[in-house]
């Protein structure tokens, strides 16, 4: 079995920073493309950033320049460093990953971590 777990959410003031982590564990052979998504109350889930196996990245226009996605393949972990946080960044942040195990190649979602930006 494979598990995908996010951590690092919390409450910060506008202008603050947070680093989210997304760790894959279990019978992981390889973690392929990973993405961070967020969903604010009453809104649909949207992409924040993605990172491929080769390290190439893609960012939503709303966060470009304030957010950096990175990965540590040895730890099967992807990070989302967020700076200059704004109230509109408030959402539940979800990690999504394409993961290969010994028997299959599947897409996984984490359980989500809450980020609240408020003064």
């Amino acid at each position: 079995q494979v598990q995908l777990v996010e951590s690092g959410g919390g409450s910060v003031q506008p202008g603050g920073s947070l680093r989210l982590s997304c760790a894959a564990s279990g019978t992981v052979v390889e973690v392929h493309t990973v993405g961070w998504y967020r969903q604010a109350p009453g809104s649909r889930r949207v992409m924040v950033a993605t990172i491929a196996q080769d390290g190439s990245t893609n960012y939503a226009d709303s966060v470009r320049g304030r957010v950096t996605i990175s990965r540590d393949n040895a730890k099967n972990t992807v990070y989302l460093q967020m700076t200059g946080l704004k109230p509109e960044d408030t959402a539940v942040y979800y990690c999504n990953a394409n993961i290969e195990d010994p028997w299959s190649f599947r897409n996984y979602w984490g359980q989500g971590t809450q980020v609240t930006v408020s003064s």
Side-chain angles (χ1 to χ4, degrees), residues 3-65:
Q3 294 82 40
L4 197 62
V5 178
E6 304 102 333
S7 61
S11 295
V12 296
Q13 294 186 340
S17 300
L18 281 174
R19 189 177 83 154
L20 307 183
S21 299
C22 170
S25 62
T27 56
V28 176
V29 171
E30 198 160 6
V31 179
H32 296 260
T33 298
V34 180
W36 282 98
Y37 293 75
R38 67 186 183 187
Q39 187 168 18
S43 300
R44 62 183 180 90
R45 193 173 299 186
V46 297
M47 186 273 289
V48 177
T50 64
I51 185 165
Q53 275 187 291
D54 64 1
S56 58
T57 58
N58 184 40
Y59 295 94
D61 289 342
S62 59
V63 302
R64 188 173 288 112

Side-chain angles (χ1 to χ4, degrees), residues 58-76:
N58 184 40
Y59 295 94
D61 289 342
S62 59
V63 302
R64 188 173 288 112
R66 301 188 295 119
V67 165
T68 302
I69 189 170
S70 61
R71 63 190 296 160
D72 183 335
N73 290 331
K75 296 181 179 179
N76 290 330

